[in-house]
Structures are given as C-alpha cells and as structure tokens.
Amino acid sequence: MLKKGTLVTLVAAAALLTAASAGLAMTTAKDASSLKGAGSSFVSPLVSTWVAPYDAATGVHIDYSPIGSGGGISAITNRTVDFGASDAPLSTDQLTACKGCVQIPRALSATSIAYNLDGVSPHLKLTGKVLADIYLGKVTKWNDPALKKLNPGANLPDLAITPIFRSDSSGTTFNFTDYLTKVNGDFAEKVGTGTQVNFPAGVGGKGSSGVSAVLARTKGGIIYVDIAFALKNHFSTFRVQNRSGKFALPGLAQIKDAASTVKSIPADNSLSIVNPPKAKGEAYPICTFTYVIVPLQTSTAPELKKFIFWALTGGQKYGPKLIFQPIPKIVLVRAEQTLTKIHT
C-alpha cells in the first residue's frame, strides 16, 4: 500500500504532467515566445539538442548562452535571464543573494580527464592522487615513475605535462576539485573546492570550448572537461581508478552506478556523487548533476515550468548519445516537487 506522502507526490506529478501536456498541445505559432538562459558550458551540448524539438512542439524558442556556471548564477541573480544553469550547487550565500531562487537537478553526466599525447593508448590509467599531484605541480613529466607504474609497457615520453584549467567561474571546476579534495589531502589543504580556485600549476582557458582548444594545440596537455566535449573533439581520455580499485571510463553505465548512491536529497537539492563508495564497483568517480536555477516567482513561470518539465522527462532521451545519463527516479520526483513551487 502506498504511503500517504508518496500518494500525494504521485498525484501532484500526474497533475503536472497533465497540465504540461495540455499546455504543449494548445500552444500555437500565435502565442510563440522565447526563454532566455545562461550558464554551464558543461550542459550546453544537451541544451543545444533540445532547442529544435522543443521549438517545433511548442513554438517556444530556447535562447541559451554557455557563459559558465558562475556567469549563469550572476545572470539569474540579476534577473537578466529567465533561468540560469550551473554544475555546482548554489552555496547558502548564493541562494540568499538570488532572493527567492531554487535549483533543480535536471541532467547527469561526468567530467572526463583528457590528454594530448602521441604514440600511447587513448585510455591510459590514472588515480585521483596522481591527478591531484599533476595539478599541484608535483608530477611534471609524462614519464614520471608514478605514471609509469600505472601504465606498464606504455611508451610514456620525457615530455612536460601541461595542466589546463578553467579560467572562468566553472561548475566543472567545482566537480573536479570536489573530487580531488576527497582523494588527496594535500590538494584539499592547498587548493580546496570551488568554482574558481588558484591552481599551483598550468594554464587557463575559458569555457569547455576554451580548454578544449588549448588542449588541441598543446602536446603533453591534460584537461578536465565534460565528456561530451571530449567526444566531440576526439580526445584521448583516462581511465580513472574508483574506490573499488577499478579503472573506469566515463560511460553511461559508470555514471548511472555513481548516481545510484543518491538515497536522500537535501532540502536545497544540492548533490555530490564524486568518489562513490567501494560497493559501486563500476562507477566512474568524477560524475555530477547539473542544475537549472529559476526564481520562485516570475512572469514567465508557465513557460518555464513547461520547458523544465519537458527537459526532465521527454528531453532526457536526447542525453545518452552525448553521455548524459537520464536522472534517477528519486531525483526526478524531487525535481518535479520543486517545480510545482514556481508561480507568477
């Protein structure tokens, strides 16, 4: 028998689905409009695939600018866009500054570790500790003993490693540093977690496209970037060791295994799934949810709710080809509950 709270949640979700479906069916070219958003470059490949089908179904055009998570948070805080997007959950201070905003997890993927190195496997092995030491400036050559031990038989050259990082405020940086602080105490002490941190070594690039461009022209370079950009640019990507000892690539099954650690969700919807426990033997250790940020009260509430609901449901089918794993049911239910709070 369903518990009362569960029944209420299911009824509310069903009512929202009915209302959203009716709204989509009744929308015509006559009442066509647009919604403007900005933020995460991590999620931009997925949002880009949503534009045409959503426009065709509803007459509402989605205008999205991938300016980085920090830029998206600022834009929605200043109300210069209808919605923001971030791969880093808002801090308490950011939520306060946004004055009545909520964050809704709407997509799920992974941060890959890509490299530009000739004559080696496209999937070398790496641990979180060694990765942190690279960005700390401790491991500086590709033939460093730490890398050679992980990759016996690989023809690792006497070539400098160039760590490449996001120079803008980035949710991908948050996901990356969230992971490194959990696996390397020295990194936690000297750098810490954040959307924009002071890396002791390396060079910067703006946005996912920016760091990808730097890597493409830098032999010996290494970057952290969402897997969709790594695939698009045909980059080699590391197998990163998880807590069970397995070296995993950021594939759909590996992302799903990491996300299966979510058993409860905080009131503010913030989630961290990096470095999942040993029991998650298939998990890739640098996965993240990405959020849409919207005001609780806004004149575009009806259009926003329809679009976000569509993204959470029908829009998820566009994700797998870009290595965005559909969000788990527990997260979907909470996202739908949060969506009902938005009003004009």
Side-chain angles (χ1 to χ4, degrees), residues 12 47 54 64 84 117 141 166 203 249 265 284 290 306 333 339 344:
V47 177
Y54 193 74
Y64 184 73
L117 193 64
K141 292 288 189 73
R166 289 283 292 272
V203 297
L249 285 169
I265 303 173
Y284 180 74
T290 180
K306 289 175 188 176
V333 169
L339 195 58
T344 54

Side-chain angles (χ1 to χ4, degrees), residues 93-308:
D93 288 345
Q94 286 172 329
L95 275 170
T96 300
C98 206
K99 296 180 180 178
C101 289
V102 288
Q103 56 190 355
I104 301 174
R106 65 167 172 178
L108 168 64
S109 192
T111 299
S112 67
I113 310 301
Y115 55 96
N116 183 347
L117 193 64
D118 295 331
V120 298
S121 164
H123 299 305
L124 292 172
K125 294 179 179 179
L126 188 64
T127 65
K129 184 182 184 306
V130 174
L131 177 59
D133 283 344
I134 289 172
Y135 276 83
L136 285 169
K138 293 182 176 182
V139 173
T140 61
K141 292 288 189 73
W142 281 98
N143 62 351
D144 185 281
L147 284 169
K148 290 178 72 174
K149 183 178 180 180
L150 289 169
N151 297 280
N155 185 28
L156 297 174
D158 183 19
L159 177 68
I161 300 174
T162 302
I164 302 163
F165 54 82
R166 289 283 292 272
S167 58
D168 55 325
S169 181
S170 160
T172 311
T173 297
F174 181 90
N175 181 227
F176 181 64
T177 56
D178 185 27
Y179 169 64
L180 292 185
T181 57
K182 287 178 170 60
V183 297
N184 188 298
D186 198 24
F187 189 93
E189 180 181 345
K190 293 181 179 178
V191 181
T193 301
T195 56
Q196 197 165 22
V197 299
N198 293 318
F199 288 104
V203 297
K206 187 175 182 179
S208 298
S209 58
V211 291
S212 296
V214 175
L215 180 66
R217 63 175 182 264
T218 306
K219 292 298 180 183
I222 179 173
I223 61 170
Y224 56 93
V225 70
D226 53 285
I227 184 59
F229 275 86
L231 291 174
K232 177 182 177 181
N233 290 282
H234 307 289
F235 289 148
S236 296
T237 53
F238 278 106
R239 295 180 181 272
V240 183
Q241 189 178 46
N242 62 25
R243 285 170 71 178
S244 76
K246 184 171 182 177
F247 291 88
L249 285 169
L252 290 170
Q254 291 74 20
I255 296 168
K256 183 178 182 180
D257 202 28
S260 69
T261 58
V262 178
K263 302 302 181 184
S264 62
I265 303 173
D268 66 356
N269 292 342
S270 60
L271 295 164
S272 174
I273 54 173
V274 299
N275 197 34
K278 186 176 180 179
K280 302 300 178 181
E282 299 301 314
Y284 180 74
I286 324 176
C287 298
T288 185
F289 286 92
T290 180
Y291 307 82
V292 60
I293 308 163
V294 293
L296 283 170
Q297 184 171 11
T298 171
S299 61
T300 60
E303 293 81 7
L304 266 177
K305 291 171 74 171
K306 289 175 188 176
F307 169 57
I308 296 171

